[in-house]
Amino acid sequence: MTPAATGQAEAARRRASARNGWLLSAPALLILTLFACGPLLIVLVYSFLTPGQYGNVVGEFSPDGWIGVLYSRDIFDDTLVLADAHLTIFWRSVKLSLMTTLITFALGFPTAWFIATRPPKARAMWLFLITIPFWTNLLIRTFAINEVIRNDGIINSLLIWAGLIDQPLRMIYTDGAVLAGMAYVYLPLMVLPLFAAIDRFDMRLLEASYDLYASRWACLRRVILPIVRPGIVAGSILVFVPSLGAYVTPRVLGGGKNMMIGNFIELQFTQGRNWPLGAALSILLLVVVALALILYVRAAEGGESEGRHG
Amino acid sequence: MDLAIEALDVVKAFGQGTSAVRALDNVSVGIRRGEFFTLLGPSGCGKTTLLRLIAGFEAPTSGQILLDGADITALPPNRRPVNTVFQSYALFPHLTVAQNVAFGMEMQGRPKAEVAQRTERMLALVRLDALAARKIGQLSGGQQQRVALARALAPEPRVLLLDEPLSALDLKLRREMQGELKRLQQETGITFIFVTHDQEEALTMSDRIAVMQSGRVQQVGAPRDIYTKPVNRFVADFIGETNFLEAVGEAAGWRLACGVLIPGTATPGQRATLALRPEHLRPAPETGDLPLPARMERAVYSGTDTHWHLRLSCGTALTLRRPNSDAATAAPPNPGTDITLGLNPALVQRLED
């Protein structure tokens, strides 16, 4: 065969393999287009329409959905007023999600380290135990926490019975309760990627750094954390993203007053009867999360390359 | 005493009770300041355990480790002025070559300028100045080896521990690194404790060698002493090739089973094993040699040498080694030929057991 013919055959082979690739991924692409991009597009369109009287939307363009994200219209003179309540909800959502991420990391890192340093058999057992909470419905688990911490719940009853307090401690319907609930629910999502990263960590590096005069703290900060960083990034994303959109936990443990974005969006589609605002909030949440992720991953990579040259 | 490291009655047992294994069984050894000292032995002999005890990664079950006369048995590794070159190198993959080398000095809290200056000097010493900004994953095995050396030498340890550092390299590179290690040791003047199972490596590099087996030190000495005067069968067998001859003591010396008498002082009736290196046997007796009749079985050519496999009349197998430099005289007799070998009695070594 001449070189040209060989080249042609090679190109044909490549075209065929590319065609096969598209064919093979077609079902997945179809499902994604139909069930992810499609609905998203609908939500985007809805955010620019006018709310119907009993919910839903009417097909008439209106920017009010987006304006409503930050402003509310005065009922008397129709002027726009900055909606403090909305900002409070946004701020609480971000704050609680960040704190949930930090708490799950603080609890999850030692746990993942413990599991990764067990013998293989015990390790499988511990990983299995970590996944057990996933077997029960989230709603039921959250109501169980509610049962434990509410005013006439187990903890308060025990404390009163023991004579340590006269009045029940107020734990339910606080930010703390939401935080505890979210940390509990999302902890496995932090532990599993951390475990995967620590499992790959070469423990001999610890001996090397210990041999080179590093204290235990320096071993952790200078050797372990930088090397397991991908696991930390993955775990933080897996916890932060669902935390920001959390719905069940703040509803059951935070009550009506300690709302997060998820509850606020739901409100617009139910009692609020303001689907465009709900749609606008959903899109906003999506965009904010995407931006935050991009910035976070960039910063994590940047930190690494700074460590390389600094 | 001018000892850098001294192990005193060190015992290290792994496991509990009756299933406990003694990795080190009453080891006492002194390593002189500034020497290239090698712990040599087969795998499982305890040499790496002894190294890890000196580094501080393991604590002895009993006994003491002294550094320059001071007891360091209870000190953790990060407080011992001793650094290790690991068999796996254990270089930090997230750091550059220069950052790896600087790590120990930074942890010691040295001033930044000094760290930078010494890092540069250490990289020059191991000839890696051009690769300072590389990541570890971009280096070859030999280059990683040099980084590991520079990293361990940079904090100026009083003793450098090397745990089979050359075992992952191919033969040619290993030879090169052997020379490099020796040069570094002489230039820095630091005491090196080198662990290996390769007897040739130990002989060529060391000032002194400790031969270890099953948790005990069998013999300590200069390479020449270890090779020419092995104290027991294990050392004679492990270092180089050896012919073992069973003998019984008589008033005039040692009588071999085939009847030849080797003059010397012996206790009549006592049994002994004599060792004789294959290159010390001669194909024909020269002045002062004892004649030793043997039958030629086969000759094996191995490049530089030819090995003659022979058998004595009593059935003992014997090997003779001839360099191939002189092809005419070295031509081996045909198999089955009866010949008389020359045995220099001064080169026969009596073993303790």
Side-chain angles (χ1 to χ4, degrees):
Chain A
M1 228 189 264
T2 64
T6 318
Q8 274 169 12
E10 173 68 12
R13 203 187 53 73
R14 241 184 250 156
R15 273 198 303 275
S17 99
R19 198 171 52 232
N20 284 341
W22 278 106
L23 272 175
L24 284 173
S25 52
L29 286 174
L30 199 69
I31 288 174
L32 267 180
T33 322
L34 275 181
F35 297 110
C37 301
L40 211 59
L41 209 65
I42 295 174
V43 174
L44 187 64
V45 171
Y46 273 28
S47 71
F48 288 105
L49 296 178
T50 310
Q53 209 166 357
Y54 305 104
N56 214 327
V57 285
V58 289
E60 194 178 315
F61 173 81
S62 159
D64 279 1
W66 284 95
I67 292 170
V69 170
L70 283 180
Y71 299 95
S72 44
R73 220 171 264 284
D74 194 292
I75 349 171
F76 300 109
D77 56 10
D78 226 23
T79 50
L80 292 174
V81 195
L82 196 66
D84 300 345
H86 298 190
L87 292 179
T88 311
I89 291 172
F90 298 157
W91 170 236
R92 178 185 300 118
S93 300
V94 171
K95 185 183 70 180
L96 290 182
S97 303
L98 283 176
M99 286 172 77
T100 303
T101 312
L102 284 177
I103 291 171
T104 50
F105 176 71
L107 295 175
F109 189 84
T111 311
W113 187 271
F114 174 82
I115 298 174
T117 50
R118 289 315 96 187
K121 247 188 173 172
R123 195 186 303 184
M125 197 261 297
W126 283 109
L127 283 175
F128 174 73
L129 288 179
I130 287 281
T131 60
I132 279 188
F134 286 133
W135 300 7
T136 318
N137 184 286
L138 172 63
L139 208 55
I140 293 168
R141 279 186 285 151
T142 316
F143 272 111
I145 299 180
N146 183 316
E147 187 65 30
V148 171
I149 64 173
R150 70 166 195 258
N151 285 357
D152 55 353
I154 295 170
I155 294 181
N156 276 318
S157 305
L158 272 177
L159 288 176
I160 291 173
W161 174 78
L164 292 170
I165 51 170
D166 321 318
Q167 291 295 311
L169 293 174
R170 182 158 164 68
M171 290 178 288
I172 192 80
Y173 306 141
T174 59
D175 278 0
V178 177
L179 206 53
M182 292 206 299
Y184 161 69
V185 170
Y186 296 126
L187 186 59
L189 297 179
M190 180 62 91
V191 170
L192 293 177
L194 279 179
F195 165 78
I198 295 170
D199 191 37
R200 280 196 305 269
F201 179 79
D202 181 356
M203 293 294 165
R204 290 174 295 193
L205 296 180
L206 273 191
E207 269 187 2
S209 63
Y210 205 25
D211 184 61
L212 290 163
Y213 313 104
S215 61
R216 279 165 192 280
W217 170 243
C219 289
L220 179 69
R221 211 175 56 80
R222 296 284 306 267
V223 178
I224 300 171
L225 290 181
I227 293 178
V228 304
R229 192 199 301 261
I232 301 175
V233 171
S236 308
I237 290 173
L238 285 180
V239 171
F240 181 77
V241 172
S243 295
L244 202 55
Y247 167 71
V248 170
T249 314
R251 176 77 183 267
V252 176
L253 299 176
K257 282 188 176 167
N258 298 289
M259 228 186 265
M260 286 177 66
I261 298 179
N263 312 100
F264 189 49
I265 292 173
E266 187 241 0
L267 191 66
Q268 306 314 318
F269 284 95
T270 54
Q271 288 109 302
R273 287 183 197 164
N274 194 348
W275 287 28
L277 175 56
L281 285 168
S282 305
I283 300 285
L284 187 72
L285 181 62
L286 183 84
V287 171
V288 167
V289 166
L291 281 178
L293 285 189
I294 291 170
L295 287 178
Y296 180 60
V297 171
R298 279 251 175 91
E301 278 171 359
E304 199 180 320
S305 68
E306 186 190 319
R308 237 175 259 161
H309 305 295
Chain B
M1 276 284 257
D2 215 21
L3 292 179
I5 287 284
E6 202 175 358
L8 295 173
D9 300 320
V10 169
V11 173
K12 176 66 184 175
F14 290 104
Q16 297 279 310
T18 48
S19 65
V21 177
R22 284 201 162 192
L24 291 176
D25 196 357
N26 261 329
V27 167
S28 291
V29 62
I31 293 147
R32 295 176 194 146
R33 200 165 296 154
E35 82 177 331
F36 196 118
F37 192 88
T38 297
L39 299 171
L40 173 67
S43 59
C45 71
K47 56 193 193 297
T48 295
T49 305
L50 182 56
L51 201 75
R52 291 176 60 80
L53 284 169
I54 297 170
F57 299 133
E58 316 263 1
T61 309
S62 67
Q64 277 183 307
I65 309 270
L66 307 185
L67 171 67
D68 291 335
D71 188 351
I72 57 163
T73 319
L75 285 185
N78 59 352
R79 292 179 54 204
R80 297 187 186 200
V82 167
N83 291 134
T84 309
V85 176
F86 295 89
Q87 186 171 14
S88 65
Y89 311 149
L91 297 171
F92 303 125
H94 60 301
L95 301 180
T96 61
V97 168
Q99 285 168 341
N100 264 281
V101 175
F103 189 89
M105 296 187 286
E106 282 171 12
M107 292 297 131
Q108 283 177 317
R110 295 192 186 212
K112 269 202 161 128
E114 190 195 330
V115 171
Q117 197 191 351
R118 266 195 70 76
T119 300
E120 220 167 286
R121 196 134 45 95
M122 293 317 298
L123 286 175
L125 192 66
V126 295
R127 304 183 180 126
L128 279 180
D129 0 17
L131 305 179
R134 288 267 183 100
K135 277 234 167 182
I136 298 308
Q138 302 169 310
L139 302 183
S140 71
Q143 288 166 339
Q144 291 191 17
Q145 168 69 77
R146 284 168 210 255
V147 179
L149 263 170
R151 184 180 71 171
L153 282 170
E156 296 176 284
R158 278 195 259 169
V159 176
L160 186 76
L161 309 176
L162 303 106
D163 185 9
E164 306 218 21
L166 307 180
S167 60
L169 305 178
D170 60 54
L171 187 63
K172 196 150 179 270
L173 202 52
R174 199 183 318 167
R175 288 266 157 75
E176 199 181 305
M177 283 306 297
Q178 284 173 1
E180 194 91 330
L181 273 179
K182 192 75 190 161
R183 174 182 70 87
L184 281 174
Q185 197 262 332
Q186 280 158 353
E187 276 177 32
T188 57
I190 292 174
T191 311
F192 276 35
I193 304 179
F194 185 83
V195 160
T196 185
H197 62 265
D198 182 333
Q199 42 109 358
E200 191 194 327
E201 197 165 275
L203 290 174
T204 53
M205 296 173 75
S206 320
D207 294 321
R208 285 196 309 148
I209 299 173
V211 184
M212 294 182 69
Q213 190 215 4
S214 21
R216 289 169 200 244
V217 173
Q218 304 290 332
Q219 187 173 3
V220 181
R224 183 178 294 272
D225 294 335
I226 297 267
Y227 187 80
T228 57
K229 298 190 193 81
V231 295
N232 59 30
R233 193 175 178 125
F234 173 79
V235 175
D237 203 20
F238 191 73
I239 314 275
E241 274 177 277
T242 304
N243 294 306
F244 293 108
L245 302 167
E246 299 306 324
V248 182
E250 283 180 11
W254 299 96
R255 173 85 58 194
L256 298 184
C258 62
V260 175
L261 184 86
I262 296 168
T265 47
T267 321
Q270 193 195 348
R271 299 194 155 272
T273 304
L274 308 180
L276 183 66
R277 296 290 180 190
E279 66 272 23
H280 290 159
L281 267 176
R282 280 191 270 263
E286 288 173 21
T287 337
D289 282 0
L290 294 171
L292 186 65
R295 173 167 292 180
M296 185 71 187
E297 290 203 323
R298 64 200 157 91
V300 176
Y301 177 81
S302 73
T304 52
D305 302 309
T306 299
H307 294 244
W308 296 15
H309 293 275
L310 305 139
R311 199 168 288 279
L312 299 179
S313 59
C314 57
T316 306
L318 213 59
T319 306
L320 173 153
R321 189 157 75 217
R322 296 283 294 161
N324 288 332
S325 51
D326 193 352
T329 56
N334 292 326
T337 320
D338 283 314
I339 55 173
T340 303
L341 306 171
L343 175 69
N344 180 353
L347 296 174
V348 175
Q349 184 71 21
R350 189 170 72 84
L351 303 176
E352 276 169 8
D353 47 43

